[in-house]
Amino acid sequence: MSVRIAVLASGRGSNLQAILDAIAHGQLQADVVGVFSDRVDAAALQRVPAPRRWAASPRDFADRVAFDTALGDALAACTPDWIICAGYMRILGAAFVARFEGRLVNIHPSLLPLYKGLNTHARALEAGDAEHGASVHFVVPELDAGTVLAQARVPILPGDSPESLAQRVLAVEHPLLLASLALLASGRITEQGGQVQLDGHPLFSPLALDSAGTLQR
C-alpha cells in the first residue's frame, strides 16, 4: 500500500512538485492526500486537485490555538501517515506538534543546528562558512530544533550571493527530501523520544546525501 503524505506549504511548492513528480515516475510509493497552507493564495495549492487543498488565513481565527486546531482537524481528516513541512513558514504550536508527534518532518535550508529560522543563506555568507546545505528533521515545538535525519551539503563559492547560494541549496533539497521520504515510507526510519533509528539501530549522526542522491551513514 502507498504511504499517505500530507504537505504543509506557504509558497510556490517546489519541494511538493518534486514529491509529485517522483510519485508519477514510480520513484516514490506514496500518495499526496492533501496540501495545506496558511496562505490562501499560495501557488503550492494549485499543484493538486481542488478536493485535496485546504487553506485559511490565521488572521481569520481568534488566536494561534484556534488556527492550529482547524489545521489539525483538516489534516486528521485525510489520515496521513506522514506530514511534510515543505516551505511552511508558520511556527506550529506545541499542542499541534504533540497531536502529530513522530509523523511531522520539515526540510530546512541550513546545516542544522546552524542557522535556525530565516535568512539562512545570507547568514552563512556573513559567517564566512565554507559550506552550506539543507537538513531534514523531525518537528518539535522549538523552532528547527528536532532531531536531524539527513543532510545535504554544498560548497560556498567565491562571489556567492544569497540568491546564488539559495539556488544551489534548492538543487540538493529536492533529492534530499525524496531520499528521506523513501526511507520514511519504507518504515526503515523511526523516531521516538528524540532518537532516530535506521533499521532498528540508533542513528547518532545525520545521514549524508551523496552525489548519486543516495543517503549514506
Side-chain angles (χ1 to χ4, degrees):
M1 294 179 62
S2 293
V3 168
R4 299 172 63 84
I5 294 175
V7 176
L8 274 58
S10 298
R12 64 187 184 275
S14 67
N15 276 307
L16 166 61
Q17 190 60 55
I19 294 170
L20 293 170
D21 290 345
I23 292 170
H25 294 142
Q27 298 165 348
L28 180 64
Q29 300 303 309
D31 289 317
V32 174
V33 295
V35 175
F36 302 80
S37 185
D38 59 333
R39 297 181 182 176
V40 296
D41 60 348
L45 295 165
Q46 304 305 314
R47 299 181 185 272
V48 295
R52 297 191 180 193
R53 304 172 195 162
W54 183 94
S57 171
R59 290 175 290 185
D60 294 336
F61 293 80
D63 52 29
R64 178 181 295 276
V65 173
F67 176 83
D68 279 0
T69 298
L71 173 61
D73 288 347
L75 272 167
C78 73
T79 60
D81 298 303
W82 292 99
I83 301 164
I84 311 302
C85 299
Y88 188 68
M89 304 307 291
R90 183 174 172 82
I91 295 174
L92 297 168
F96 180 95
V97 173
R99 182 175 182 178
F100 299 103
E101 184 178 6
R103 289 189 285 156
L104 272 168
V105 175
N106 181 50
I107 184 161
H108 179 73
S110 83
L111 297 173
L112 291 172
L114 296 175
Y115 312 125
K116 300 173 183 178
L118 302 175
N119 304 316
T120 62
H121 311 301
R123 290 158 67 191
L125 290 172
E126 290 167 3
D129 292 348
E131 61 180 2
H132 191 41
S135 304
V136 173
H137 67 94
F138 286 90
V139 176
V140 297
E142 184 183 345
L143 179 65
D144 298 328
T147 306
V148 177
L149 159 62
Q151 292 182 323
R153 298 172 180 266
V154 298
I156 294 180
L157 305 178
D160 256 335
S161 66
E163 294 75 21
S164 65
L165 183 54
Q167 287 300 313
R168 289 209 315 286
V169 171
L170 185 63
V172 299
E173 276 189 33
H174 295 168
L176 174 66
L177 180 57
L178 294 176
S180 299
L181 282 177
L183 283 179
L184 293 169
S186 70
R188 294 180 61 198
I189 287 282
T190 59
E191 187 269 349
Q192 188 171 18
Q195 176 63 66
V196 175
Q197 293 200 337
L198 173 63
D199 297 330
H201 301 288
L203 189 67
F204 295 111
S205 59
L207 298 170
L209 189 75
D210 65 17
S211 59
T214 302
L215 290 173
Q216 304 288 347
R217 281 185 179 268

